[in-house]
Amino acid sequence: MPNMSLKRNEMPVQAPDVRNKNFKEVALGYTEEQAIDEAKRCLNCKNKPCSTGCPVQIDIPAFIAQVAQGNFAEAYKIITKSSSLPAVCGRVCPQETQCESKCVRGVKGEPVAIGRLERFVADWHNSQPETTVEKPVSNGHKVAIIGSGPSGLACAGDLAKKGYDVTVFEALHIAGGVLSYGIPEFRLPKSIVQKEIEGLKALGVKVETNTVVGKTISIDELMQEEGFESVFIGSGAGLPRFMNIKGENLNGVYSANEFLTRINLMKAYKDGSSTPIKAGTKAVIVGGGNVAMDAARCAKRLGADVTIVYRRTEKELPARAEEVEHAMEEGIEFKFLTNPTEITSTDKGWVKGVICQQMKLSEPDASGRAKPVPIDGAFFEIEADCVIMSIGTSPNPLIKSTTEGLDTQKWGGIIADDNGLTSKTGVYAGGDAVTGAATVILAMGAGKKAAAAMDEYIQNK
Amino acid sequence: MFEILEKKSLNPTVTLMRIYAPKVARKAEPGQFIILRTDSEGERIPLTVADYDRESGSVTIIFQIVGATTEKLNHLNEGDCLQDFVGPLGRATETEGLKKVAVVGGGVGCAIAYPVAKKLHELGVEVHSVVGFRNKDLVILEDEFKAASSKFVLMSDDGTAGEKGLVTDALKKLIESGEKYDRVITIGPLIMMKFVCQLTKQYEIPTVASMNPIMIDGTGMCGGCRLTVGGQTKFACVDGPEFDGHLIDFDEAMARGAMYRDFERKAHDDACNLFKGVE
């Protein structure tokens, strides 16, 4: 009998006033009993609407059916047929707009907690004694992956399983891309990211850190001199945007990228870290996406009073509802319909405050969201000693500028077809480098698609 | 791993190291920089490429012991390895079309100015080098500069080496004496570069200054190294490190350079105390 409760099983979390002072994971995951109970809420629909909402088409009802019977190992096998990073996606996917939004149980009541179940299965697998992975038989073909973020790792994993000799090139000293430098420990523990990467290495994938493709070596050199037959570009969207307002280069103003990189990659939050960070006593975060929530919650944990300013209203916040809710619970203040126009300075060149203009909503703009317009003369200043700009990122121009024949959009995104093929023979691309800043799972999906296309390209060469 | 092939003390606070890094050596050009970490817990620091040898696969760095990381770096010896060494980053010095250049270096900045002078000299450009130090004990690369320059002027604050005075005094004298430079390239403390640029602006000599701000990734990702050039925000790591000296907002760059001074001072003291305990 299915469990007909309209409510999903709550996942245990650290209490807000405890967790806003530490960097440990906020959500603690289901117990086996909770997972089985939640899995029993699934009606095992024949037409699998949930799977159609999944960018990598995981056979969701099938894995949930195995969880319901306590066959966690089998459930893991089903998930990993489609997803390379289940422990990651179970944590950071926007399930509420994907699989869970299609769940029939959500019509009347709450949808099955698919994300929490995925996370449970992956964590269960990771807690089991290591099994030796058999390396696939080599097919003798060399492929290169540029960037070790979600799209690159997914692409690398699929190609390695097919027997390719895969090398992943990473500019930073640690692999993982945004999973390592961007998403904070309390949302995605770095040990999980490293575990996923170790899993790929066990399949034979080589990871070369400290290699900036475009500087240390070019794509043409990889293909012509190093013998890589095909290349996947998954270099992400790492270039931070600023507002170009007065005072943005004052001391105490960070891009969210810099702020989060100092914390996540360089561990600046730890006592004795050799990398400094200044979250100040009053931090203002500009922006309303997931990255803004991450930056705000990090600043809070470093002891600052935190205000998020966003130019639209709560309803238009692009961040996941859960992230907004967590931020609010942790004591972060939101100022909506608020747009910074200037950052003011102390006489020593440090941030003193943020002058903001009150906004109101008008007609929908090109994005389909109501357009914020300034209200004349309605200015006010928020006191601050730290400002974090979190208004988006663009693809890094480094590869474009050093790769002849690689076409890009005006805004910098690499032009690629549905299978990831770029304007350059044998060169594929996917993830944020193509789409602009999006989600982990979409990047993963693009990496997998490209892997299939690269395989076909090489086999038919 | 990135082995230290050679270590040499140039003066009490400046050290030269030759590092085995064949991938970086293969591509490095004067004006570019690298980022290194000494150990797995270390911070990432940028250092300009002082020299490179493509055949032996080595890159030379010259650093002043100013903070915790450079202190730790200085305690490593030949045969030891660096945790990370990535590059070459940034744009190389533009040398095209130059016929006569004044290279103006100050302090440890001379370590970066030297490979530029050498490269220009090799390209057949007439190079005049003006270098300044606080006193004779701090002078570095004197013979190397002499070999790469048709004119060499050494200045010191206290007059114990070369002439007494600032590099701007010497540069002004050269210009006033009728030397016509089609470019001045200046590398050194921000305050020195600011005054060099003010001087050359009066004479309308195109001037390039090499910036060395705080940065993390070195690939355009963090924006920590941003500076204002001609009213526009630029990233030193990808747009530079060399910029039109007449357009740089030096005052802002100086303020930004001091952002973590209290932290750095404490970290340096801690590192010194640590090494005192070891020795």
Side-chain angles (χ1 to χ4, degrees):
Chain A
M1 259 305 278
N3 166 1
M4 292 311 291
S5 164
L6 294 182
K7 288 218 160 279
R8 51 168 69 187
N9 280 269
E10 285 302 323
M11 179 160 55
V13 293
Q14 278 196 71
D17 60 341
V18 174
R19 70 184 191 234
N20 67 10
K21 293 171 195 72
N22 71 55
F23 274 84
K24 291 187 203 128
E25 194 169 16
V26 168
L28 303 170
Y30 278 160
T31 61
E32 289 191 10
E33 293 72 33
Q34 287 169 321
I36 291 171
D37 189 61
E38 183 63 26
K40 287 183 175 160
R41 293 185 63 228
C42 175
L43 302 177
N44 210 352
C45 307
K46 280 237 160 53
N47 58 348
K48 306 180 185 186
C50 46
S51 293
T52 65
C54 174
V56 296
Q57 285 93 44
I58 294 174
D59 190 345
I60 293 166
F63 100 73
I64 292 183
Q66 294 299 331
V67 175
Q69 292 167 40
N71 297 334
F72 307 133
E74 200 52 43
Y76 184 78
K77 266 192 212 157
I78 295 169
I79 296 175
T80 49
K81 266 185 213 159
S82 314
S83 169
S84 331
L85 310 165
V88 173
C89 292
R91 286 173 167 78
V92 304
C93 255
Q95 294 100 4
E96 66 280 4
T97 60
Q98 299 178 357
C99 51
E100 292 176 11
S101 74
K102 312 270 184 192
C103 178
V104 171
R105 294 297 309 264
V107 177
K108 198 179 151 197
E110 292 179 339
V112 175
I114 301 168
R116 294 172 184 178
L117 289 173
E118 181 186 22
R119 170 192 163 137
F120 168 80
V121 170
D123 287 357
W124 178 88
H125 170 84
N126 286 344
S127 70
Q128 299 304 300
E130 302 262 338
T131 46
T132 46
V133 184
E134 246 179 73
K135 267 190 201 178
V137 182
S138 167
N139 67 10
H141 294 286
K142 260 174 92 175
V143 291
I145 311 284
I146 302 167
S148 61
S151 71
L153 294 181
C155 189
D158 279 14
L159 288 168
K161 283 179 201 158
K162 288 186 161 78
Y164 285 90
D165 178 356
V166 182
T167 306
V168 179
F169 296 96
E170 166 58 45
L172 293 171
H173 57 267
I174 289 174
V178 74
L179 307 175
S180 288
Y181 75 73
I183 303 176
E185 178 78 17
F186 56 81
R187 221 154 57 80
L188 178 63
K190 299 310 137 208
S191 57
I192 287 174
V193 180
Q194 288 317 308
K195 185 121 192 169
E196 302 277 14
I197 291 163
E198 290 310 315
L200 290 179
K201 285 185 183 166
L203 285 173
V205 173
K206 289 172 243 162
V207 179
E208 284 202 30
T209 52
N210 292 321
T211 307
V212 184
V213 173
K215 286 287 176 189
T216 313
I217 194 160
S218 70
I219 288 181
D220 287 330
E221 286 166 333
L222 286 174
M223 297 181 84
Q224 286 155 23
E225 294 169 26
E226 306 283 329
F228 291 99
E229 294 172 58
S230 182
V231 173
F232 174 78
I233 307 169
S235 50
L239 197 72
R241 283 194 207 128
F242 288 93
M243 293 185 76
N244 299 316
I245 57 174
K246 194 176 166 203
E248 225 169 0
N249 293 350
L250 289 170
N251 285 358
V253 183
Y254 289 100
S255 71
N257 261 9
E258 179 181 2
F259 190 74
L260 291 172
T261 300
R262 284 178 180 273
I263 292 171
N264 301 322
L265 183 75
M266 305 310 296
K267 309 287 174 223
Y269 66 90
K270 287 189 177 165
D271 279 344
S273 164
S274 54
T275 300
I277 184 121
K278 297 212 178 223
T281 55
K282 287 187 189 314
V284 168
I285 284 79
V286 182
N290 287 323
V291 176
M293 301 305 135
D294 285 346
R297 296 170 71 194
C298 283
K300 183 78 189 177
R301 281 159 173 75
L302 291 169
D305 284 333
V306 182
T307 306
I308 290 178
V309 300
Y310 178 57
R311 60 198 184 130
R312 294 183 169 95
T313 71
E314 183 172 354
K315 216 176 77 197
E316 287 86 17
L317 278 172
R320 292 183 63 194
E322 185 182 295
E323 303 307 325
V324 176
E325 194 185 310
H326 277 158
M328 286 178 170
E329 284 172 2
E330 288 169 12
I332 286 157
E333 198 190 327
F334 284 73
K335 280 193 192 299
F336 296 109
L337 292 170
T338 300
N339 197 36
T341 55
E342 183 185 337
I343 301 166
T344 55
S345 169
T346 67
D347 52 10
K348 297 222 160 65
W350 281 83
V351 171
K352 192 177 92 187
V354 184
I355 297 177
C356 296
Q357 187 164 21
Q358 200 68 51
M359 312 291 277
K360 62 179 180 199
L361 290 184
S362 84
E363 303 298 304
D365 63 10
S367 72
R369 294 175 300 176
K371 188 182 170 188
V373 290
I375 300 174
D376 280 347
F379 292 96
F380 59 95
E381 185 166 354
I382 305 172
E383 197 192 322
D385 49 8
C386 174
V387 176
I388 302 166
M389 289 293 168
S390 181
I391 54 169
T393 53
S394 318
N396 194 314
L398 208 53
I399 287 182
K400 177 203 154 193
S401 64
T402 54
T403 309
E404 228 172 284
L406 185 71
D407 292 346
T408 57
Q409 314 269 8
K410 257 197 210 127
W411 51 267
I414 296 169
I415 296 174
D417 71 11
D418 280 351
N419 294 316
L421 178 63
T422 67
S423 55
K424 217 171 150 69
T425 310
V427 178
Y428 294 75
D432 286 5
V434 169
T435 57
T439 61
V440 168
I441 187 74
L442 283 172
M444 237 185 68
K448 291 176 77 71
K449 253 193 180 165
M454 288 162 79
D455 176 42
E456 203 184 304
Y457 163 73
I458 291 175
Q459 297 308 327
N460 296 327
K461 229 171 39 165
Chain B
M1 286 298 265
F2 308 100
E3 191 187 335
I4 300 168
L5 302 172
E6 184 188 348
K7 179 184 177 186
K8 200 160 77 180
S9 175
L10 299 185
N11 76 31
T13 62
V14 176
T15 303
L16 173 150
M17 276 184 183
R18 206 156 54 78
I19 312 289
Y20 182 68
K23 286 200 294 188
V24 183
R26 204 168 87 116
K27 284 296 188 71
E29 293 288 343
Q32 290 189 296
F33 66 96
I34 56 94
I35 285 183
L36 65 78
R37 289 201 314 155
T38 52
D39 56 90
S40 61
E41 302 299 314
E43 67 171 335
R44 294 169 67 95
I45 60 160
L47 288 170
T48 307
V49 172
D51 205 351
Y52 49 83
D53 180 8
R54 306 212 201 280
E55 262 173 49
S56 66
S58 69
V59 174
T60 303
I61 50 171
I62 296 177
F63 57 92
Q64 185 162 27
I65 304 148
V66 285
T69 299
T70 42
E71 186 73 49
K72 277 198 274 182
L73 183 58
N74 196 48
H75 271 79
L76 297 176
N77 291 305
E78 286 173 13
D80 291 341
C81 287
L82 303 180
Q83 178 77 24
D84 298 293
F85 194 88
V86 57
L89 301 166
R91 294 165 185 264
T93 304
E94 278 176 32
T95 52
E96 233 180 84
L98 297 178
K99 294 203 171 58
K100 186 168 172 178
V101 171
V103 175
V104 182
V108 73
C110 292
I112 309 162
Y114 165 64
V116 175
K118 182 177 146 196
K119 168 102 185 199
L120 290 167
H121 179 70
E122 283 165 4
L123 289 169
V125 178
E126 186 181 351
V127 177
H128 291 182
S129 294
V130 179
V131 296
F133 300 91
R134 270 185 297 159
N135 59 54
K136 70 170 177 8
D137 296 333
L138 301 178
V139 175
I140 57 170
L141 301 171
E142 185 175 352
D143 294 338
E144 286 85 347
F145 268 110
K146 278 181 181 159
S149 324
S150 60
K151 216 170 234 176
F152 173 78
V153 185
L154 173 62
M155 305 294 288
S156 60
D157 294 357
D158 63 357
T160 52
E163 292 171 44
K164 183 174 175 173
L166 303 172
V167 289
T168 40
D169 301 334
L171 181 63
K172 185 169 178 172
K173 223 163 150 186
L174 286 168
I175 298 167
E176 292 280 325
S177 74
E179 302 287 358
K180 295 257 182 273
Y181 301 113
D182 38 38
R183 187 169 299 169
V184 170
I185 299 175
T186 181
I187 306 166
L190 288 167
I191 187 77
M192 180 203 92
M193 294 197 286
K194 177 181 166 174
F195 284 107
V196 168
C197 293
Q198 275 179 8
L199 176 73
T200 58
K201 189 151 191 202
Q202 291 167 26
Y203 297 97
E204 293 178 358
I205 306 168
T207 300
V208 162
S210 178
M211 306 298 277
N212 186 19
I214 295 166
M215 59 176 72
I216 305 179
D217 62 292
T219 64
M221 201 186 83
C222 77
C225 65
R226 64 194 187 278
L227 70 165
T228 305
V229 182
Q232 283 191 319
T233 294
K234 297 277 180 191
F235 290 0
C237 65
V238 286
D239 301 322
E242 296 179 357
F243 294 97
D244 182 339
H246 296 154
L247 299 177
I248 295 170
D249 183 342
F250 281 105
D251 294 337
E252 179 188 90
M254 281 186 264
R256 288 185 66 78
M259 183 152 167
Y260 300 107
R261 199 145 285 167
D262 51 346
F263 177 96
E264 284 158 2
R265 202 163 287 144
K266 186 179 175 304
H268 187 201
D269 290 348
D270 290 350
C272 291
N273 289 335
L274 191 72
F275 289 123
K276 263 182 219 150
V278 175
E279 276 155 10

